[in-house]
């Protein structure tokens, strides 16, 4: 620590003048005066601190460090200078040093919040949360501490615990729209939807001109499939902030769900015009294009999935297929002695559908060897289905932690793009899956398999699965018509218990080869969009698919047939959520088919 400077009227007058200019909004003039003092009095603490503050205010934290560091060295007792040094270190992206400096400050609300921010930057979130817990015990009425705590708890995936600080914040600042919106988000993530919606609407009422709060409410409604309520809110948000790409992305999602495919495409194109590198918008555009039958552009856009966090490909961790040590297959012949790896991704239904393209893909690869990698439960089915056509040059293997050695690879869902598949010319055989039908009694009545629910982990499941109670009119209609039908339950998982009287044909944990034997012995399969439906279609079994108003992209719109599955007939909702109407269509068709 340097001794305090001796009084100097001229120097002290210049410092006072510089301080006044700085506080009065004349930073350039103040900076020049501080530098004039330092030219004459090097190491003068107040001048160094003043210059550092000027540089901080000008957005130059790195430049401010030298002056502020020297000021603190000259007089470590000046905690205001130490605080400025901590801010400069944080601004220069030196969080560890900023944290160390701030630990020398009194435990004020501001200093504790600053330290928590630096801990978060350093990846020490649990310590930041614990520090904020202590800070709130000391300063329970400090709104910004509650805000910080709510943000960190939500980032940590502790939405339920984040509710308390957000509640405290809106109690301290009832007019804070941002706080109400954050409270609504936390409540919604915790399943408290009624209270969440009230909080989100309160935010909109407090700041109707701020589009973020309107957008947040719309997003909440979309996640709960209340698209009709969300659409006008999104339109309003987009009108107020047309430059925000993610607004257009969710507008596209909402329009798609309401059946406005052209409107969805337009919204996603606008999102990409604003942010061409946003993979979510491009992937959502792919869905809309594929639904509309624009497959060439749609399959190309579908490749954006590998730049999205929720698509990690074949494993829960590790690189996406685009980052594997072998190149992606470009669709050209590989030549003798080379090996092409084709590997499953996403769900079982996706793999079964895309397995149609394996034979034409390997034909395109020329004389190359082939490896088909898939989940263990698909190995037997694909081996017995593809083996006769492909011979010993191709083997089917179960997915392992590391991919098999190959010269090139491609995920199955990328085959349509590589092969140039369009809705009128899907290559490969119409019946590409093979199974020996399970024995059935001679002269038995028509055997009809039924599946009504998919994987609850699928984002589309709440739309595509049919409540078991909605199926009762189907059974009643068959009974009233005097039809003799042997129903067969193809449903697995908890939903199977919803129709306990339906004879179950599948054993939990069985593989798809065993399931295929059961399905191949049926006269008809009726169900929602599940792996069993894709299996039946690939086997060439007559298949009736019950679809949501806006189905998965592969079923497209406004048609009752499928280019993927010639044996399939599609029954569509005429309005959102109308399973009753679909069941009535199926019942009438069933009566005609077997009556």
């Amino acid at each position: 620590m340097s001794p305090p400077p001796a009084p100097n009227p001229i120097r002290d007058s210049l410092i006072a003048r510089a301080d006044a200019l700085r506080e009065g909004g004349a930073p350039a003039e103040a900076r020049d005066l501080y530098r004039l003092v330092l030219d004459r009095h090097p190491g003068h603490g107040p001048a160094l601190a003043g210059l550092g503050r000027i540089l901080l205010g000008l957005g130059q934290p790195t430049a401010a460090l030298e002056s502020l560091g020297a000021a603190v060295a000259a007089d470590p007792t000046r905690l205001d200078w130490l605080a400025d040094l901590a801010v400069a270190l944080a601004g220069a992206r030196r969080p560890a040093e900023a944290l160390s400096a701030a630990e020398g400050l009194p435990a004020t609300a501001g200093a504790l919040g600053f330290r928590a921010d630096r801990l978060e930057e350093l990846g020490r979130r649990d310590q930041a949360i614990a520090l904020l817990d202590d800070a709130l015990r000391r300063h329970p009425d400090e709104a910004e501490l509650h805000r910080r705590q709510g943000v960190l708890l939500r980032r940590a995936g502790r939405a339920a615990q984040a509710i308390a600080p957000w509640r405290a914040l809106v109690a301290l600042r009832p007019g804070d729209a941002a706080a109400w919106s954050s409270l609504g988000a936390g409540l919604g993530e915790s399943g408290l939807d009624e209270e969440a919606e009230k909080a989100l609407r309160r935010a909109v009422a407090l700041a109707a001109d701020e589009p973020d709060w309107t957008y947040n409410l719309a997003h909440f409604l979309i996640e709960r499939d209340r698209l009709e309520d969300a659409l006008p809110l999104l339109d309003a948000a987009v009108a107020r902030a047309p430059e925000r790409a993610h607004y257009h992305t969710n507008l596209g999602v909402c329009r798609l769900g309401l059946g406005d495919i052209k409107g969805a495409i337009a919204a996603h194109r606008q999102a990409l015009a604003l942010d061409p590198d946003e993979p979510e918008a491009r992937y959502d555009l792919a869905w809309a294009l594929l639904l509309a039958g624009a497959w060439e552009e749609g399959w190309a856009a579908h490749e954006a999935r590998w730049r999205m966090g929720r698509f990690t490909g074949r494993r829960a961790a590790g690189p996406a297929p685009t980052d594997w040590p072998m190149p992606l297959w470009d669709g050209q012949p590989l030549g003798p002695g080379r090996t092409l790896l084709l590997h499953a991704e996403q769900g079982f239904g996706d793999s079964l559908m895309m397995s149609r393209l394996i034979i034409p893909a390997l034909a395109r690869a020329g004389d190359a060897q082939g490896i088909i990698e898939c989940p263990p439960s698909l190995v037997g089915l694909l081996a017995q289905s593809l083996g006769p056509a492909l011979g010993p040059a191709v083997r089917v293997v179960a997915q392992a932690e590391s991919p098999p050695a190959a010269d090139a690879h491609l995920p199955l869902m990328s085959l349509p793009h590589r092969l140039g598949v369009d809705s009128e010319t899907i290559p490969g055989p119409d019946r590409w899956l093979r199974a020996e039908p399970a024995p059935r009694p001679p002269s038995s009545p028509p055997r009809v398999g039924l599946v009504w629910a998919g994987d609850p982990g699928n984002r589309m499941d709440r739309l595509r699965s049919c409540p078991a109670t909605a199926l009762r009119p189907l059974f009643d209609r068959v009974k009233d018509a005097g039809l003799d039908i042997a129903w067969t339950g193809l449903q697995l998982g908890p939903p199977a218990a919803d129709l306990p009287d339906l004879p179950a044909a599948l054993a939990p944990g069985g593989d798809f080869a065993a399931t295929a034997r059961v399905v191949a012995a049926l006269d008809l399969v009726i169900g929602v969009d599940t792996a069993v439906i894709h299996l039946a279609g690939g086997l060439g079994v007559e298949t009736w698919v019950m679809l949501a108003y806006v189905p998965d992209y592969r079923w497209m719109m406004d048609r009752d047939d499928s280019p993927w599955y010639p044996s399939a007939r599609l029954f569509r909702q005429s309005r959102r959520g109308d399973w009753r109407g679909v069941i009535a269509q199926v019942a009438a068709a069933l009566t005609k088919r077997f009556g």
Side-chain angles (χ1 to χ4, degrees):
M1 175 177 174
S2 303
N8 184 313
I10 296 177
R11 180 201 61 205
D12 296 344
S13 174
L14 289 172
I15 289 291
R17 176 62 178 155
D19 290 344
L21 288 168
R22 174 173 56 82
E23 294 170 3
E29 293 89 337
R31 178 192 58 203
D32 292 342
L33 283 179
Y34 288 130
R35 284 176 173 166
L36 177 61
V37 171
L38 289 170
D39 286 341
R40 298 176 181 177
H41 305 277
H44 184 257
L48 289 165
L51 178 59
R53 286 172 174 168
I54 287 290
L55 294 171
L56 265 182
L58 292 173
Q60 301 173 37
T62 302
L65 285 177
E66 182 178 357
S67 298
L68 289 169
V72 170
D75 188 355
T77 66
R78 289 293 300 266
L79 297 181
D80 54 337
W81 298 353
L82 180 61
D84 289 336
L85 176 60
V87 171
L89 287 164
R93 299 185 179 180
R94 293 162 62 174
E97 294 168 83
L99 176 62
S100 178
E103 287 171 346
L105 298 172
T108 63
L112 292 170
F114 179 90
R115 287 166 56 187
D117 290 346
R118 304 293 76 75
L119 287 168
E120 169 71 0
E121 286 182 43
L122 292 166
R124 296 156 60 182
R125 181 171 294 158
D126 288 345
Q127 293 179 48
I129 291 171
L131 179 63
L132 287 171
D133 284 338
D134 178 63
L136 285 166
R137 284 190 289 270
R138 296 168 181 258
H139 309 282
D141 295 331
E142 284 292 336
E144 287 307 314
L145 293 178
H146 290 288
R147 187 188 302 279
R148 281 185 170 94
Q149 187 72 307
V151 168
L152 292 190
L153 286 168
R154 191 177 181 201
R155 286 178 185 170
R158 295 157 61 179
Q161 294 177 48
I163 292 172
W166 291 121
R167 286 195 196 281
L169 182 56
V170 298
L172 291 167
R173 294 182 178 176
D176 188 333
W180 281 104
S181 192
S182 295
L183 172 61
L187 290 165
E189 290 171 10
S190 301
L192 302 172
D193 284 4
E194 183 177 352
E195 192 177 358
E197 184 173 348
K198 289 179 180 177
L200 291 165
R201 291 192 181 279
R202 177 67 174 158
V204 173
L206 286 168
D209 292 335
E210 172 46 61
D212 271 349
W213 318 142
T214 302
Y215 171 82
N216 289 350
L217 173 59
H219 185 71
F220 168 87
L221 295 170
I222 286 175
E223 289 185 329
R224 284 143 187 86
D225 199 35
R226 292 172 56 186
L227 305 185
E228 292 84 356
D229 295 333
L231 182 60
L233 294 166
L234 282 169
D235 284 335
V238 166
R240 293 192 189 103
E243 74 284 356
R244 299 182 187 179
H246 63 288
Y247 285 14
H248 294 276
T249 297
N250 261 327
L251 178 60
V253 170
C254 189
R255 286 177 174 171
L256 185 81
L258 292 170
D260 179 9
I261 309 303
K262 289 183 179 179
I265 291 172
H268 291 313
R269 290 198 192 282
Q270 181 59 33
L272 289 168
L274 293 165
D275 187 357
D277 294 326
E278 171 49 51
E280 194 81 39
R282 196 164 300 279
Y283 180 75
D284 289 340
L285 174 63
W287 268 70
L289 290 168
L290 292 169
L291 269 170
W295 281 17
E296 181 178 0
E297 185 184 359
W299 289 122
H302 191 248
E303 294 300 291
R305 67 194 184 279
W306 299 120
R307 294 191 289 120
M308 297 164 60
R310 56 190 167 94
F311 287 100
T312 55
R314 26 177 293 125
R315 298 166 184 84
T322 47
D323 298 323
W324 283 14
M326 64 196 83
L328 285 165
W329 181 49
D330 61 4
Q332 299 303 311
L334 290 178
R338 311 275 284 176
T339 300
L340 173 61
L341 168 64
L342 300 175
H343 48 95
E345 59 162 304
Q346 301 183 45
F348 291 116
D350 299 297
S351 297
L352 291 169
M353 185 177 87
M354 291 300 163
S355 65
R356 171 175 179 159
L357 303 178
I358 290 175
I359 292 175
L362 290 171
R364 178 84 67 88
D367 296 325
Q369 303 283 314
I371 301 175
I372 314 304
E373 191 198 41
C374 60
S377 59
L378 286 175
V379 169
L381 174 64
L382 292 184
Q384 72 190 30
S385 299
L386 301 175
L390 297 174
V394 176
R395 57 193 176 97
V396 181
V397 301
Q399 283 179 339
E401 197 57 36
S402 298
D407 297 291
H409 77 100
L410 198 71
L412 289 182
M413 294 292 288
S414 292
L415 282 174
H417 177 49
R418 284 292 187 273
L419 299 178
V421 172
D422 63 54
S423 60
E424 303 304 323
T425 57
I426 300 179
D430 289 345
R431 299 174 65 169
W432 62 96
L433 299 177
R434 298 170 180 266
E436 185 68 29
R440 56 183 287 182
S443 304
S444 61
R447 300 186 68 183
V448 179
L450 191 62
V451 58
W452 60 92
D455 177 7
N458 187 293
R459 293 169 51 148
M460 296 281 290
D461 191 62
R462 74 178 189 275
L463 301 177
R464 70 178 185 176
S465 289
C466 173
T469 53
L471 297 170
R472 290 297 177 188
L474 175 62
F475 302 131
D476 294 342
R477 178 75 175 268
V478 168
K479 182 178 179 181
D480 293 344
L483 299 181
D484 185 14
I485 288 178
W487 292 103
T488 300
L490 302 176
Q491 184 65 54
L492 290 174
D498 295 337
L499 291 177
D501 297 334
L502 194 66
L506 304 181
D511 70 7
F512 276 87
T515 303
R517 295 188 69 230
V518 173
V519 172
L522 299 175
D523 297 291
L524 172 66
V525 173
I526 301 173
V528 298
D529 181 10
T530 63
V532 169
I533 288 295
H534 292 283
L535 174 62
L539 289 166
V541 174
E542 186 176 359
T543 305
W544 293 0
V545 191
M546 302 188 296
L547 295 174
Y549 180 62
V550 178
D552 189 281
Y553 64 81
R554 72 202 74 215
W555 305 111
M556 298 191 287
M557 301 289 287
D558 302 322
R559 57 189 298 167
D560 61 7
D561 67 329
S562 166
W564 290 101
Y565 304 112
S567 66
R569 179 179 176 183
L570 311 184
F571 296 81
R572 299 175 179 273
Q573 292 179 352
S574 59
R575 62 181 186 275
R576 284 176 14 91
D578 179 26
W579 286 115
R580 179 179 297 182
V582 170
I583 297 302
Q585 296 175 51
V586 171
L590 197 62
T591 303
K592 184 176 181 179
R593 172 72 175 78
F594 295 114

